[in-house]
Amino acid sequence: MDSPVNLRMHDAGPGPSRAPFAIALASFTSSFDRFAVSPLLVFLAEDLGATLAQAVAVAGVYFLAYGFTQPVWGMLSDRHGRLRVMRLALLGAGLAGVGSALAPGLGALILWRGLTGAFFGGIIPTSITFIGDTVPNHHRQSALADNMAAVAVGTALATATAGVVGGALGWRVMFALPVLLAAGCLLALRSVAEPERPAAQGLWRSLARTVSNGWMLAIIALAFVEGAVVLGLLTLLAPALQDQGLDAATAGLSVAAYGAATLVASRLVRPLARRWPAHRLIALGGLGMVAGYAAVALHVSIGTVVFAAAGLGWTWALMHTALQSWATVVLPQLRGTAVSLFAAALFAGSSVGALLAGPLADAGRWTLLFGVTAVVAGVVAVLSFAARRAYHRRRP
């Protein structure tokens, strides 16, 4: 196994500029399954004789399991290997997906979807860690942006097709599609080699060493706030339009600019990363969320919501991948644990952000809500820029 010194040399040395297709396919599959849930809630509620409030538990349990199991997957990947963990997660997700598609009632469906979320929660953090293990640091943000593009395509395709497939063929068919994708991922991963990693450490020792590192704690804290601002408040852009009298379809299509902007901006990361250090990309990406929330704070309309959603996609492609790449560098010998804690903080922040914003959204106080969000977005962008620049100066 590589020592920490050898790992740092690998980070700076020659190597591939992107991850294998099978890794991107697995990330796409995880994202597709996660974002296919919400558009199906009305259909499965009607089919299973449940209320919409009861059906929401299907998504809620999935998201909780998806987020809270990620540190476990990260520590397991440090101990047992990236591809071994990814194959186990895909196999478990596929079997749980079969259970979801065949669930006889709401209770069984909630159980199976929770298990599906728990297994799919191991895919994206492990793919990020794999990229950190195999792609040198000077190509890493570009490779992560490519992986993020696969996630964005999965998100966009799921949200665009879930309602159509659910209405035409039934929600069970939509839950069965990720099973086929997971099987395809397992076949594709057969040709991918397991990357070298440092000697395994105990799970609790790995966790303790990660959270005791000051730089890693800073990254986790920034990810938490970024999750609240970007992911948590993104979910309220469509309700803000609906509060102005627009229908749900128009509001949803307006927010779809987020996925399109993420995909387009991710193509710019590679040329920009060749010219600029990571802290400049963070600053450039942070402008998107500040400008977007400032626009909807001034006036909520289709135009400003499209602009805000596109700005958040820009932020996600530039700023988030820079933070993501940073999380792979600080503790190369504990990369899986570090990345999974980063991801868990991101999802926890998204939940907290949505909960904190709920009362103002219910009251229709969009100017205050998005104005405060723009200020918080500016603060997190400045802090992220300053922290990453300081790290760059200490460890160029």
Side-chain angles (χ1 to χ4, degrees):
M1 296 300 177
D2 283 352
S3 68
V5 173
N6 287 335
L7 284 169
R8 284 194 292 271
M9 291 175 65
H10 160 76
D11 282 350
S17 61
R18 63 188 66 214
F21 170 77
I23 300 298
L25 180 61
S27 296
F28 166 88
T29 302
S30 176
S31 177
F32 183 88
D33 187 78
R34 181 159 60 98
F35 284 92
V37 176
S38 297
L40 299 175
L41 294 179
V42 172
F43 301 117
L44 64 89
E46 293 176 352
D47 188 51
L48 298 176
T51 66
L52 184 58
Q54 291 171 330
V56 167
V58 175
V61 171
Y62 182 101
F63 294 143
L64 284 174
Y66 188 97
F68 283 107
T69 57
Q70 295 197 19
V72 177
W73 288 114
M75 290 185 284
L76 288 174
S77 78
D78 277 339
R79 188 171 182 83
H80 300 291
R82 317 307 183 199
L83 294 182
R84 183 178 297 177
V85 163
M86 187 172 285
R87 291 185 182 109
L88 174 63
L90 286 167
L91 178 61
L95 293 175
V98 172
S100 299
L102 300 177
L106 183 63
L109 181 60
I110 291 172
L111 173 62
W112 283 116
R113 291 310 294 168
L115 288 172
T116 308
F119 280 109
F120 267 130
I123 299 300
I124 291 180
T126 308
S127 69
I128 295 169
T129 307
F130 181 94
I131 292 170
D133 287 344
T134 57
V135 179
N137 194 30
H138 58 283
H139 287 308
R140 192 170 300 155
Q141 187 174 352
S142 300
L144 289 169
D146 290 340
N147 196 64
M148 189 63 64
V151 172
V153 172
T155 301
L157 193 60
T159 53
T161 61
V164 176
V165 173
L169 302 176
W171 58 269
R172 297 181 188 275
V173 173
M174 196 65 192
F175 282 153
L177 289 179
V179 177
L180 300 178
L181 290 171
C185 291
L186 286 170
L187 290 175
L189 285 172
R190 294 174 61 185
S191 62
V192 181
E194 179 73 56
E196 292 186 340
R197 64 186 192 284
Q201 302 182 32
L203 297 182
W204 292 111
R205 185 183 178 189
S206 299
L207 183 62
R209 286 193 60 192
T210 303
V211 299
S212 64
N213 183 282
W215 287 114
M216 200 62 232
L217 281 179
I219 297 170
I220 290 171
L222 291 170
F224 179 87
V225 183
E226 183 200 28
V229 171
V230 178
L231 298 182
L233 273 295
L234 172 67
T235 60
L236 295 178
L237 289 177
L241 273 181
Q242 291 174 270
D243 193 49
Q244 311 304 308
L246 274 78
D247 60 277
T250 301
L253 286 173
S254 300
V255 179
Y258 167 80
T262 301
L263 190 59
V264 172
S266 66
R267 303 300 85 203
L268 300 176
V269 170
R270 192 176 298 276
L272 289 175
R274 292 194 191 105
R275 297 181 176 89
W276 287 0
H279 55 272
R280 290 189 182 180
L281 293 181
I282 287 174
L284 183 62
L287 288 174
M289 60 181 176
V290 176
Y293 284 125
V296 286
L298 292 174
H299 179 61
V300 176
S301 66
I302 292 177
T304 57
V305 166
V306 168
F307 178 76
L312 292 176
W314 173 265
T315 298
W316 197 246
L318 294 176
M319 177 175 164
H320 179 70
T321 57
L323 293 175
Q324 209 174 60
S325 179
W326 188 15
T328 69
V329 172
V330 177
L331 291 171
Q333 69 275 26
L334 293 171
R335 190 170 274 140
T337 303
V339 168
S340 64
L341 288 176
F342 172 88
L346 186 79
F347 286 110
S350 68
S351 299
V352 171
L355 288 173
L356 290 177
L360 289 177
D362 286 338
R365 303 185 67 182
W366 303 111
T367 296
L368 177 60
L369 174 57
F370 291 130
V372 170
T373 304
V375 173
V376 176
V379 171
V380 72
V382 170
L383 290 177
S384 299
F385 168 82
R388 187 63 181 88
R389 184 176 62 173
Y391 184 85
H392 176 76
R393 288 179 173 177
R394 291 193 180 190
R395 303 185 183 188

